[in-house]
């Protein structure tokens, strides 16, 4: 019994005859590797796919994809295919390759290899049907697995980018010893409010801050949920040993806070950022002096 018979469990979609034919198919695809890969690369260029890659990058990736494709045809290992597809996605997504391009090149490879098998077995119609019955289910499973893995990886990258953007949009900045400023610009929704709290509390601990100036001049509006979350952020900061001064309240936000019944006694509000920084320095014991500069006569 050949070693490939044990691979039947890895190809549950194959019949016994199909599993016995797979070694012949794999041998044929490896024997004609260079020609078929070049034909596939030409089809990719004709379809204007992978144009974000340099010619050398495209050669390297198509060679790697071809070899892994044939290996998966031989072993039927979904786990190995998923691992390879994730690695492929990590390499090519940063180069600007889109999902439809990945699906497109895999389908083109499936077609190129199918045509090669047709040419080899066209004189025996019965055998050709058995060969295609063995090849097509495995090829379809490869295409589906690669597509799903690529989409999953792309969504992971998007989530990472969104997290990075949220962190950049709510920076916690140390102004001086024990004093932080948190400028909030743009729409403040519930998700961003939670991110704000996490970053602020982390900043308080890292910088051993005693006072935080939260400036919301750039926030156009907040709803009831976000307003209550701000109050909770102030309370959490107090538990961490830091007082919070809120500056830049717009008339709309101020009216919202009053309307929803926020406990304003918990909030230290100052009209503008400059006033908030002066109050923060007073709380920290700093003394501000003004120096008059005489004009040249």
């Amino acid at each position: 019994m050949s070693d490939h018979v044990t691979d039947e469990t890895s190809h549950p979609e194959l019949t016994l005859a199909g599993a016995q034919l797979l070694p012949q198919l794999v041998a044929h695809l490896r024997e004609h590797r260079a020609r078929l890969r070049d034909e596939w690369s030409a089809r990719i260029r004709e379809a204007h796919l992978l144009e974000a890659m340099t010619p050398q990058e495209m050669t390297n990736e198509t060679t790697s994809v071809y070899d892994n494709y044939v290996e998966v045809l031989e072993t039927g290992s979904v786990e190995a295919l998923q691992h390879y597809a994730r690695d492929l996605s990590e390499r090519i997504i940063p180069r600007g390759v889109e999902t439809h391009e990945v699906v497109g090149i895999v389908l083109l490879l499936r077609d190129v290899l199918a045509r090669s098998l047709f040419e080899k077995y066209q004189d025996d119609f019965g055998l050709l049907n058995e060969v295609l019955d063995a090849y097509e289910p495995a090829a379809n499973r490869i295409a589906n697995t690669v597509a799903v893995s690529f989409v999953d990886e792309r969504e992971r990258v998007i989530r990472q980018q969104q997290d990075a953007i949220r962190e950049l949009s709510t920076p916690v900045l140390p102004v001086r010893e024990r004093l932080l400023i948190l400028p909030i610009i743009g729409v403040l929704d519930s998700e961003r409010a939670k991110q704000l709290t996490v970053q602020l509390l982390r900043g308080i601990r890292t910088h051993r801050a005693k006072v935080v100036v939260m400036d919301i001049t750039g926030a156009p509006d907040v709803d009831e949920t976000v307003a209550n979350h701000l109050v909770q952020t102030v309370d959490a900061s107090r538990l961490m040993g830091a007082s919070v001064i809120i500056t830049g309240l717009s008339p709309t936000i101020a009216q919202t806070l009053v309307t929803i019944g926020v406990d304003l006694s918990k909030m230290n509000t100052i009209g503008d950022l400059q006033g908030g920084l002066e109050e923060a320095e007073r709380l920290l014991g700093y003394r501000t002096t003004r120096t008059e500069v005489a004009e040249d006569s």
Side-chain angles (χ1 to χ4, degrees):
M1 184 176 294
S2 69
D3 292 339
H4 293 285
V5 174
T6 60
D7 286 337
E8 289 176 31
T9 55
S10 298
H11 288 286
E13 72 279 5
L14 297 183
T15 63
L16 178 60
Q20 292 173 339
L21 281 172
L22 268 181
Q24 297 180 34
L25 308 187
V26 170
H28 168 75
L29 298 179
R30 284 185 172 143
E31 179 183 356
H32 299 281
R33 171 178 179 264
R35 176 178 64 82
L36 294 174
R37 189 201 62 199
D38 290 345
E39 182 181 342
W40 176 41
S41 296
R43 294 279 302 275
I44 291 174
R45 287 191 293 271
E46 289 173 3
H48 302 288
L49 301 175
L50 304 185
E51 292 185 331
M53 292 186 179
T54 65
Q56 185 59 50
E57 288 174 335
M58 181 174 169
T59 297
N60 292 340
E61 292 299 350
T62 53
T63 300
S64 178
V65 171
Y66 186 98
D67 290 343
N68 277 274
Y69 191 100
V70 174
E71 181 178 348
V72 172
L73 278 176
E74 180 180 33
T75 64
S77 173
V78 175
E79 291 76 12
L81 176 58
Q82 290 171 335
H83 179 73
Y84 169 71
R86 283 195 297 269
D87 288 345
L88 173 66
S89 302
E90 290 175 0
R91 291 197 302 274
I92 66 179
I93 286 177
R95 302 177 195 176
V97 177
E98 300 293 337
T99 304
H100 76 275
E101 294 183 88
V102 174
V103 175
I105 66 171
V106 174
L107 293 179
L108 284 176
L109 179 57
R110 182 189 66 174
D111 183 58
V112 167
L113 300 188
R115 288 173 182 270
S116 174
L117 295 174
F118 180 82
E119 292 173 1
K120 177 177 176 61
Y121 295 101
Q122 61 181 328
D123 293 335
D124 188 334
F125 188 73
L127 180 58
L128 173 62
N129 281 334
E130 292 182 3
V131 167
L132 294 180
D133 285 344
Y135 171 73
E136 289 181 348
N140 289 338
R141 185 166 62 157
I142 291 175
N144 182 66
T145 301
V146 171
V148 170
S149 296
F150 188 88
V151 170
D152 289 344
E153 175 63 20
R154 193 167 189 83
E155 290 179 349
R156 185 188 68 80
V157 170
I158 291 173
R159 286 194 298 271
Q160 284 185 333
Q161 292 172 341
Q162 290 173 336
D163 291 341
I165 289 172
R166 278 195 292 266
E167 289 188 8
L168 290 173
S169 65
T170 51
V172 179
L173 308 173
V175 178
R176 60 194 308 173
E177 187 178 2
R178 304 298 179 89
L179 173 57
L180 301 177
I181 180 172
L182 176 61
I184 301 174
I185 300 173
V187 176
L188 189 62
D189 56 18
S190 297
E191 188 62 31
R192 190 179 174 202
K194 294 176 183 177
Q195 178 78 16
L196 176 151
T197 301
V198 171
Q199 289 181 241
L200 178 56
L201 297 181
R202 185 185 301 141
I204 291 173
R205 170 175 290 181
T206 300
H207 299 283
R208 301 174 63 198
K210 292 297 183 183
V211 181
V212 176
V213 177
M214 185 187 301
D215 183 63
I216 60 175
T217 304
D221 197 5
V222 297
D223 59 20
E224 180 177 350
T225 301
V226 174
N228 285 321
H229 197 92
L230 287 177
V231 175
Q232 293 171 7
T233 301
V234 172
D235 289 339
S237 300
R238 186 179 295 114
L239 290 174
M240 295 283 292
S243 300
V244 177
I245 300 171
I246 298 179
T247 65
L249 281 174
S250 68
T252 302
I253 296 177
Q255 187 174 7
T256 299
L257 295 177
V258 172
T259 301
I260 66 177
V262 169
D263 185 358
L264 299 178
S265 65
K266 294 184 177 181
M267 305 182 71
N268 185 1
T269 60
I270 302 292
D272 56 23
L273 179 58
Q274 179 62 39
L277 290 174
E278 291 175 356
E279 173 65 12
E281 291 181 336
R282 186 189 68 79
L283 292 175
L284 290 170
Y286 293 109
R287 179 175 299 176
T288 302
T289 59
R290 298 180 182 276
T291 303
E292 299 292 338
V293 179
E295 295 181 0
D296 295 336
S297 57

